[in-house]
Amino acid sequence: MSLYRNSVWFVKGLRHYCRSGYESASKHFVPEDLEVDVTGRYFMVTGANSGIGKAAAKEIARRGGLLYLVCRNKDRAEEAKKEIITETGNQNVFIHILDMSDPKGIWEFAERFKNEHRLNVLVNNAGCMINQRELTKDGLEKNFATNTLGTYILTTALLPLLEREDDPRVITVSSGGMLVQKLDVSNLQSENVAFDGTMVYAQNKRQQVVLTEQWAKAHPRVHFSSMHPGWADTPDRQPVPTHLPLARTKASPGDEEKLMQSLEELSQKFKPR
């Protein structure tokens, strides 16, 4: 089944994930859909100092949004802020330094943030793919701590703030790589099998999609979406399946619920009292 999943994913990737996929999809883009004014709306983008996060932040700034850049490295964050302001002319760009693999730090940050700021849109973009099994200072496997637990805590902690606003949204940048993985709640920190960083990352991304689906059910006032950052980067994008055909990657409702329970129990261990 693993060979089948990888083969189907590779064929799908050739069609949709590279330049040819973008060029094909772009024929259906409606340019006017991108000309959106978001003045007066508040956005948080994690991992905003490079790559997809910085590109998203620039486009939000161009359209008038107020930006909170959540980054791990202060110097790189300052460089990104300067670049965004210079290119867009939007001065409403603010930095928050946060390590997304530090659950206690995330809780503390979110509690302070809720008391001082507004938020309309949270973009969960920060992530990592570490090829050797590494533990954080808290003894957590680092990919899981950053990609899954960190995303869970930040989103959970900020939901009350989001729910106070009009048209609140949470967008999580997942990956098409998750299509080769079935949710595995028995091995969340990759302890029971030989460590493969690529597959661990793909499992984390599957977990993010499950989280998105579960949050959407529990919080109907908030619009939740997860996306693969390629040809789908347009407002007229279309929903795509979250499973490959015949790949047997769909988890049971019980496993999905177990994921949520496991993350809640683990996250509470780090919540300040």
Side-chain angles (χ1 to χ4, degrees), residues 48-207:
N49 58 267
S50 65
I52 297 164
K54 185 165 72 171
K58 283 183 181 178
E59 292 307 314
I60 292 167
R62 284 194 178 98
R63 288 157 175 75
L66 184 146
L67 272 167
Y68 305 111
L69 310 182
V70 176
C71 307
R72 184 177 58 180
N73 184 287
K74 187 175 188 299
D75 291 339
R76 294 179 66 186
E78 292 287 358
E79 291 176 7
K81 174 182 175 179
K82 182 178 179 181
E83 182 179 331
I84 292 168
I85 291 174
T86 299
E87 291 191 17
T88 69
N90 187 339
Q91 300 290 323
N92 292 315
V93 182
F94 305 94
I95 292 173
H96 296 275
I97 303 304
L98 179 65
D99 183 345
M100 288 297 295
S101 71
D102 177 6
K104 184 178 179 181
I106 297 171
W107 276 119
E108 292 173 344
F109 161 75
E111 291 303 314
R112 291 194 304 270
F113 189 91
K114 285 193 296 186
N115 292 328
E116 299 170 0
H117 303 286
R118 295 175 60 188
L119 187 64
N120 295 97
V121 181
L122 168 62
V123 181
N124 288 314
N125 168 73
C128 68
M129 184 171 70
I130 299 171
N131 290 318
Q132 301 296 323
R133 192 171 192 274
E134 294 183 19
L135 301 182
T136 69
K137 64 182 181 181
D138 298 305
L140 302 169
E141 192 279 312
K142 201 162 191 176
N143 292 294
F144 168 79
T146 304
N147 301 328
T148 302
L149 184 61
T151 297
Y152 176 85
I153 293 175
L154 184 64
T155 305
T156 299
L158 293 179
L159 273 171
L161 182 62
L162 285 160
E163 289 180 322
R164 293 205 293 262
E165 300 291 343
D166 293 330
D167 191 20
R169 296 170 180 253
V170 176
I171 302 167
T172 299
V173 181
S174 182
S175 167
M178 66 94 188
L179 291 168
V180 302
Q181 287 284 309
K182 180 177 181 178
L183 178 66
D184 183 1
V185 293
S186 68
N187 192 30
L188 291 179
Q189 298 200 54
S190 311
E191 299 173 287
N192 304 333
V193 296
F195 191 87
D196 182 330
T198 301
M199 289 299 102
V200 170
Y201 178 81
Q203 174 66 208
N204 295 161
K205 293 301 175 176
R206 169 62 71 187
Q207 292 161 1

Side-chain angles (χ1 to χ4, degrees), residues 198-234:
T198 301
M199 289 299 102
V200 170
Y201 178 81
Q203 174 66 208
N204 295 161
K205 293 301 175 176
R206 169 62 71 187
Q207 292 161 1
Q208 288 181 344
V209 171
V210 173
L211 285 176
T212 299
E213 293 168 343
Q214 295 300 306
W215 281 326
K217 294 176 184 177
H219 302 275
R221 281 206 67 253
V222 181
H223 173 89
F224 289 90
S225 57
S226 57
M227 47 84 71
H228 176 70
W231 55 270
D233 188 15
T234 173

Side-chain angles (χ1 to χ4, degrees), residues 149 185 188 257-267:
L149 184 61
V185 293
L188 291 179
E257 179 61 28
K258 187 174 180 180
L259 173 66
M260 303 301 288
Q261 291 176 349
S262 297
L263 292 175
E264 179 62 18
E265 291 171 4
L266 186 55
S267 70

